[in-house]
Amino acid sequence: MRSHSRRKFLKGVGASLGASLLFSPFYDSIANAAPGKKPKRLLIFFTMGTAPSIWKPKSVSGETPTFSESTSPLEEVKEHIVMLDGLPSGSPSNNHGSADGLTGMGYYSNGPYGLISVDQYIVEKLKGSGLSTPIPSLLLGAAVEGGKTGFYKGTNLSPIGSPTSAYSTVFTGFTPSNNQGSTDNSAAEALLKRRKSVLDNLTKELTSLKGNLGKEQQYKLDLHLESIRQLEQRLSNTMTPGGGGGTGACSVPGTPSGDMTNGLKANQLHLDIIVGAFACDITRIAAIQWGSDQMMNANLSEIGLSGEEHNGMIHTGAPAHLDLIKLEKWLHQQFVGVIKKLKATPEADGSGTLLDNTLVAWCRDMGDAPNHTQNEMKFVLASGNGGYLKTAPGGRFIKSGERHERVLLSLCDAMGVTDFSGFGDPALGNKTPLPGIAAT
């Protein structure tokens, strides 16, 4: 394999393409690229901890799980699922561990961003690589009260709680591809033609250049070019009803309606907004918070459930945690539901479905909620065909004694971020993704 030095590569780009302005955001992000198939997007599904006894599979044959009652909805999408268990945090006795869950560390800060959750860390790294979207990160979550969220950037971040506000934030000013109105787009058309002309004229030079690069440098070049093409796609969608060029189309969901006073029902609407934002490339990083690290009111009359999760279900002392099983099963249904929606939504550029290009990660603030410890942190990951994860027809269950931060590093790696400086526990010696979960 031929591999050029960074200096020679940048010199070649400038000389061959004469495009220093076009590629300037890309220059500083080459060194830490990761080869291979990487998702375009990350969705974090964040909840309080659960009771290990109701979450663990009934049995495991090799790596194939037999799901418990509370996790049984995963059966419907098992070919996309990897379950992870047994991973301790750096401060396993940290009681309510909202800070640990997505930051990989306890209630202290270090690094250039202070205490930072993995979603915000990835956003900062993508910005540094020149990849930008109208909304760098979309944090949603209804009825988050009485405690902390899992999202940090120096301070604890609050998600948008109202689906109406979230919808307005995401889609106001955006012209969807299914808009049949006629407007004067002459200026936009001229800009689009100029952009296409630049890329079309560079195609031959880029093909030649890529042949002289190593895989890592090729990947970073592709990443930056993709961001430019996505901007073109967005512009095309504002001018061409039905989308531009692919088998799918960016279609904005309908205005949210329903019971928005019920936090769980409101979060169902938030998931639809996230799928729409992904489809229209308005964001690449989204996260949804269910309750806080202290409480979540769960009122679901259709399944006979009413009460508060933390004190009313987790600490009831009931051996079977019957209400917690009902709630966890319902949450798994929502997790599976968004996976199915991503799988059913084609990419506007024809490159498969949204799920094929998305990593979905269910993360928690504690591994053992009844005992308030992070000794056995739990994750459920999902990706589509040919995605980041190594999957199997019957699903995969992996129990590991490695630090849970290494799963968070896998989320970074999945998004092409392999420089982990400033993230997580500075005392963790092995700053590498968790082995065995990524496809090779």
Side-chain angles (χ1 to χ4, degrees):
M1 178 192 303
R2 290 173 289 183
S3 180
H4 289 200
S5 71
R6 184 176 186 271
R7 178 176 296 177
K8 287 181 179 180
F9 170 62
L10 297 179
K11 183 178 179 181
V13 170
S16 300
L17 305 181
S20 59
L21 291 178
L22 178 64
F23 286 91
S24 57
F26 163 65
Y27 290 171
D28 293 331
S29 62
I30 296 170
N32 298 304
K37 168 87 173 189
K38 303 293 178 183
K40 296 177 181 178
R41 311 174 193 88
L42 172 66
L43 169 55
I44 293 176
F45 190 101
F46 194 74
T47 67
M48 195 184 294
T50 187
S53 61
I54 72 169
W55 185 88
K56 294 178 183 294
K58 293 180 179 178
S59 63
V60 180
S61 177
E63 290 185 341
T64 304
T66 299
F67 300 109
S68 67
E69 176 65 20
S70 66
T71 65
S72 59
L74 297 178
E75 179 74 25
E76 194 171 356
V77 292
K78 60 186 178 182
E79 68 274 17
H80 299 296
I81 294 297
V82 177
M83 300 179 72
L84 301 168
D85 190 17
L87 301 106
S89 78
S91 48
S93 300
N94 203 24
N95 204 346
H96 285 272
S98 75
D100 295 56
L102 295 180
T103 68
M105 50 200 299
Y107 289 95
Y108 59 95
S109 62
N110 189 65
Y113 309 111
L115 188 64
I116 188 166
S117 53
V118 66
D119 53 301
Q120 298 303 304
Y121 185 79
I122 293 172
V123 166
E124 292 303 311
K125 288 298 183 180
L126 292 183
K127 285 180 181 177
S129 73
L131 181 63
S132 62
T133 52
I135 299 177
S137 68
L138 181 61
L139 305 181
L140 304 181
V144 178
E145 56 188 22
K148 296 178 179 177
T149 72
F151 316 128
Y152 288 81
K153 189 178 179 184
T155 187
N156 193 220
L157 302 178
S158 297
I160 300 174
S162 162
T164 301
S165 297
Y167 185 89
S168 176
T169 298
V170 173
F171 298 115
T172 295
F174 180 78
T175 305
S177 62
N178 56 357
N179 184 354
Q180 301 296 323
S182 60
T183 59
D184 182 6
N185 292 306
S186 57
E189 289 175 351
L191 177 59
L192 179 60
K193 287 179 180 178
R194 288 197 297 272
R195 284 179 174 165
K196 285 185 175 180
S197 177
V198 170
L199 287 180
D200 289 344
N201 289 337
L202 292 176
T203 298
K204 184 176 180 180
E205 289 88 341
L206 290 174
T207 302
S208 175
L209 176 63
K210 285 180 65 176
N212 293 321
L213 299 179
K215 287 185 178 179
E216 296 184 1
Q217 295 165 344
Q218 287 180 10
Y219 173 71
K220 277 297 182 182
L221 180 58
D222 287 339
L223 180 65
H224 184 68
L225 288 175
E226 181 190 11
S227 70
I228 297 172
R229 291 190 178 96
Q230 288 289 339
L231 289 174
E232 288 186 351
Q233 185 67 45
R234 286 282 304 275
L235 186 55
S236 295
N237 284 340
T238 66
M239 297 186 298
T240 307
T247 58
C250 162
S251 182
V252 173
T255 304
S257 63
D259 183 3
M260 299 186 202
T261 63
N262 184 321
L264 300 187
K265 300 289 183 155
N267 268 2
Q268 289 180 309
L269 301 175
H270 280 314
L271 288 173
D272 289 338
I273 292 171
I274 288 173
V275 173
F278 279 169
C280 296
D281 200 38
I282 293 172
T283 191
R284 298 287 181 91
I285 308 294
I288 185 166
Q289 173 96 23
W290 299 80
S292 70
D293 70 335
Q294 297 288 332
M295 64 180 296
M296 183 172 72
N297 290 313
N299 299 307
L300 300 166
S301 59
E302 65 269 29
I303 60 172
L305 185 65
S306 178
E308 193 277 313
E309 179 187 23
H310 181 202
N311 292 312
M313 300 179 193
I314 289 175
H315 293 308
T316 59
H321 294 284
L322 296 181
D323 283 346
L324 187 60
I325 290 173
K326 288 182 180 180
L327 176 59
E328 282 281 325
K329 186 174 182 178
W330 187 89
L331 287 170
H332 278 82
Q333 289 170 344
Q334 310 318 304
F335 182 74
V336 168
V338 75
I339 290 171
K340 291 170 66 177
K341 287 176 183 176
L342 292 169
K343 188 174 181 179
T345 306
E347 291 278 8
D349 63 3
S351 61
T353 70
L354 294 187
L355 183 62
D356 293 335
N357 297 307
T358 302
L359 178 63
V360 187
W362 186 341
C363 309
R364 297 178 183 268
D365 71 343
M366 289 182 286
D368 185 343
N371 291 310
H372 279 201
T373 68
Q374 292 84 52
N375 286 307
E376 297 183 358
M377 299 294 275
K378 294 164 174 54
F379 298 85
V380 183
L381 308 180
S383 69
N385 295 329
Y388 178 77
L389 296 176
K390 177 183 176 182
T391 55
R396 296 181 69 208
F397 176 83
I398 300 172
K399 187 167 184 177
S400 171
E402 297 288 341
R403 285 276 294 274
H404 96 286
E405 182 184 329
R406 296 188 70 183
V407 180
L408 304 181
L409 298 183
S410 293
L411 304 188
C412 294
D413 179 64
M415 293 299 293
V417 174
T418 56
D419 174 10
F420 308 130
S421 58
F423 178 76
D425 186 351
L428 180 63
N430 192 0
K431 287 281 187 180
T432 56
L434 187 71
I437 65 172
T440 55

